[in-house]
Amino acid sequence: MNSATVPLLDDDTIAFGEEDNANKQFVHPYIVFFHLIFRGAAIVVYILCGWFSDSFIASFVLVVLLLSADFWTVKNISGRLLVGLRWWNYVDDEGKSHWVFESKQNRVNRNESRLFWLGLMLCPLIWAGFFIICLFGLKFKWMLLVLIALTLTGANLYGYVKCKFGAKENLKSATTDFVKKQLLQNATSFMFAQPAPPTTGNTGVV
């Protein structure tokens, strides 16, 4: 399985990153709404489904549909428009699987970027909490639904972290390299800093 980081193609069906609106509060308000609504609705329906229906199958199908809509929206639309990132996979003629991570982050709205990453990281944590509850509560049928949610939300999180920090780096290594670089720069500037020239006063010779 191969992976690569490449610039986004010029023939995207949905153009993005071309607006000069980086300082606006929201450039794509509807995309932000749909980025959050599907994953939020899946969590709400999972929590409240027992109040409105006793059918496990109906609740299961509804939550999976919301999760699928969220996965498709985040992977194909909101990632490209809100943060200029996209990941995808294809199989070549020899049957090898290739992962492609695309990045175009030159004009990203800060508010939209914050909401994108907040929703992307927070929801898998919530589903992980539901998994622990199901595990200790021995609710194995619900655990299957939670595992599906973790798989779909976790796949998007993993793909976009790869896009953000590079196809061959993970979040930990990228953060570690950044900290090392900063420490090295500070140490170098401290060791090789030029001493301040001494102040000279007026002296007289008697």
Side-chain angles (χ1 to χ4, degrees):
M1 180 178 66
N2 299 324
S3 61
T5 302
V6 298
L8 281 174
L9 302 179
D10 294 332
D11 59 350
D12 287 324
T13 55
I14 301 178
F16 74 99
E18 301 300 331
E19 303 86 353
D20 293 321
N21 298 314
N23 295 323
K24 279 188 175 182
Q25 185 174 5
F26 292 107
V27 179
H28 309 93
Y30 295 107
I31 303 301
V32 174
F33 173 78
F34 284 107
H35 172 71
L36 299 174
I37 191 63
F38 286 128
R39 52 184 47 213
I43 293 174
V44 171
V45 171
Y46 175 81
I47 295 174
L48 302 179
C49 60
W51 293 11
F52 300 101
S53 175
D54 294 329
S55 173
F56 169 76
I57 296 178
S59 301
F60 186 96
V61 171
L62 180 57
V63 173
V64 170
L65 287 175
L66 289 171
L67 289 169
S68 301
D70 166 68
F71 178 82
W72 186 88
T73 301
V74 174
K75 180 179 179 298
N76 296 293
I77 299 178
S78 63
R80 297 195 296 168
L81 291 172
L82 302 184
V83 291
L85 300 172
R86 185 174 67 175
W87 65 275
W88 52 285
N89 173 270
Y90 72 95
V91 179
D92 61 20
D93 296 336
E94 298 178 356
K96 293 182 180 180
S97 178
H98 298 267
W99 292 90
V100 181
F101 304 93
E102 301 177 332
S103 174
K104 185 178 181 181
Q105 305 177 65
N106 54 334
R107 295 175 183 176
V108 175
N109 182 272
R110 295 179 181 179
N111 295 323
E112 293 180 347
S113 178
R114 290 191 189 102
L115 286 176
F116 175 85
W117 288 107
L118 179 64
L120 197 68
M121 293 184 291
L122 185 60
C123 289
L125 293 177
I126 294 175
W127 286 110
F130 290 153
F131 177 82
I132 295 174
I133 294 173
C134 291
L135 181 63
F136 285 98
L138 302 178
K139 299 178 180 180
F140 296 110
K141 63 180 183 179
W142 290 104
M143 189 183 299
L144 175 61
L145 178 58
V146 173
L147 286 174
I148 294 174
L150 281 172
T151 301
L152 294 176
T153 57
N156 264 328
L157 176 60
Y158 177 81
Y160 282 113
V161 167
K162 284 287 190 179
C163 291
K164 181 71 174 178
F165 294 100
K168 296 183 179 180
E169 290 185 300
N170 55 31
L171 181 61
K172 182 178 179 180
S173 64
T175 305
T176 302
D177 291 341
F178 175 78
V179 172
K180 288 180 179 179
K181 182 179 179 181
Q182 293 301 315
L183 291 175
L184 180 62
Q185 289 178 350
N186 292 334
T188 303
S189 61
F190 175 78
M191 293 175 62
F192 298 100
Q194 295 294 330
T199 58
T200 58
N202 293 328
T203 59
V205 179
V206 179

